[in-house]
Amino acid sequence: MPAPHSSTSPFRARSLLFVPGDNERKLQRSETSDANLILIDIEDAVVLERKAAGRDTVAAYGLSHRERTCPLWVRMNPLGGENALLDLAATVHAAPDGYLVPEVRSAADLRVLD
């Protein structure tokens, strides 16, 4: 069994498991994987009509899995689009270990997150 993830310990990802953010069944199955990081995708893996449902699913999953053996990240929508802030607002309270931010054009883009 892998050592529990700690936010104070360094982490090097060897295997990432991308899981569609609107698919509860696949999220549940991800718990049995040997991945070093679970990345819940609400960008490319979720169609526009399901973005809100995907955000809700990600938030509920994160809140119900506070104790986990590997890091849980969220792949959000690009900062320049209308969905990025909605993604953050809906999921930040679930305390993911990190966010994958696509299509970053400059450091200024990331300052938006700060």
Side-chain angles (χ1 to χ4, degrees):
M1 177 143 214
H5 169 70
S6 167
S7 61
T8 60
S9 66
F11 174 74
R12 292 186 187 103
R14 293 182 303 265
S15 63
L16 307 175
L17 177 61
F18 281 73
V19 182
D22 64 340
N23 192 317
E24 291 181 44
R25 183 179 59 81
K26 288 182 180 178
L27 281 170
Q28 295 304 322
R29 287 182 51 205
S30 73
E31 296 171 23
T32 62
S33 85
D34 289 329
N36 297 107
L37 188 144
I38 296 172
L39 201 148
I40 305 174
D41 188 354
I42 50 179
E43 185 207 12
D44 288 341
V46 178
V47 297
L48 184 60
E49 297 78 24
R50 301 254 326 134
K51 296 282 185 191
R55 289 182 199 105
D56 292 344
T57 300
V58 170
Y61 185 84
L63 287 170
S64 67
H65 291 81
R66 295 262 191 202
E67 300 295 322
R68 44 191 178 250
T69 58
C70 75
L72 179 68
W73 282 45
V74 174
R75 181 180 186 193
M76 59 184 282
N77 284 280
L79 290 171
E82 62 188 51
N83 285 302
L85 294 180
L86 294 172
D87 293 348
L88 290 168
T91 61
V92 73
H93 68 282
D97 296 296
Y99 285 90
L100 183 110
V101 184
E103 302 177 28
V104 173
R105 295 165 293 174
S106 69
D109 285 350
L110 295 178
R111 286 189 201 101
V112 170
L113 296 177
D114 194 26

